[in-house]
Amino acid sequence: MNFSRQRRKILETLQNNVVHPSAEYIHQVLKKEHSKISLATVYRNLNQMAEIGEIKKINGLEDSSHYDHNTHLHYHFFCKKCRKIFDLPSDISPNLVRKAEMVSGFKIDTHEIVFHGECKDCREDKKEGEQQDG
């Protein structure tokens, strides 16, 4: 598989797996189709695409970075129970950057916001478990 075809397959895999996958996850999916693609190739291509802004790289959630094909301004929610990453619209806090600049005096070029907690499904599972125990 040549370079451009590899990159296209990696991007397609990312776009088809909206769970904000890690490079390891993408590699596992691709290995099923293309047994010769290496994890290093997946990492290299993901990092290059992130550097040019074609995708987003999400750091700091777990040991591995996660990747997002959605490059529009939005926030993320990380469920500490099921470990899934969800998109949140940026309009939940309009003018956040402008307000932060006014308060701090800084000029903000980019920002990343990640909320941590339990997702709706995990909270419902927890409630069901408590009802069965009670």
Side-chain angles (χ1 to χ4, degrees):
M1 188 174 4
N2 66 27
F3 177 75
S4 61
R5 195 168 137 216
Q6 287 177 332
R7 181 168 282 192
R8 188 178 72 248
K9 291 303 288 179
I10 290 167
L11 183 59
E12 286 173 4
T13 303
L14 178 60
Q15 291 169 335
N16 293 329
N17 290 277
V18 294
V19 296
H20 302 81
S22 64
E24 293 85 357
Y25 179 89
I26 293 170
H27 180 247
Q28 288 175 358
V29 171
L30 288 172
K31 285 282 284 185
K32 293 176 185 173
E33 290 179 42
H34 310 283
S35 61
K36 294 184 181 186
I37 193 166
S38 72
L39 181 57
T41 297
V42 173
Y43 268 112
R44 183 177 58 256
N45 279 277
L46 287 170
N47 287 326
Q48 288 172 349
M49 286 187 279
E51 284 176 17
I52 63 171
E54 191 172 354
I55 64 172
K56 277 188 173 183
K57 183 176 183 178
I58 308 166
N59 293 312
L61 300 178
E62 298 183 296
D63 292 339
S64 296
S65 296
H66 291 260
Y67 298 88
D68 189 351
H69 72 281
N70 180 359
T71 59
H72 293 87
L73 179 60
H74 66 284
Y75 306 136
H76 292 106
F77 177 86
F78 179 69
C79 180
K80 62 185 180 184
K81 189 169 182 184
C82 68
R83 323 242 4 117
K84 291 180 184 172
I85 303 166
F86 301 88
D87 287 342
L88 292 174
S90 62
D91 63 3
I92 61 173
S93 184
N95 304 314
L96 176 65
V97 171
R98 188 173 56 87
K99 289 177 186 176
E101 287 179 333
M102 288 174 57
V103 168
S104 67
F106 301 153
K107 170 63 178 111
I108 299 171
D109 294 324
T110 64
H111 65 284
E112 300 274 333
I113 296 179
V114 180
F115 298 90
H116 298 256
E118 287 185 10
C119 69
K120 182 180 174 185
D121 290 341
C122 288
R123 288 177 47 99
E124 288 176 3
D125 288 347
K126 189 177 188 178
K127 285 180 187 176
E128 287 177 14
E130 289 171 357
Q131 288 175 351
Q132 290 176 358
D133 292 340

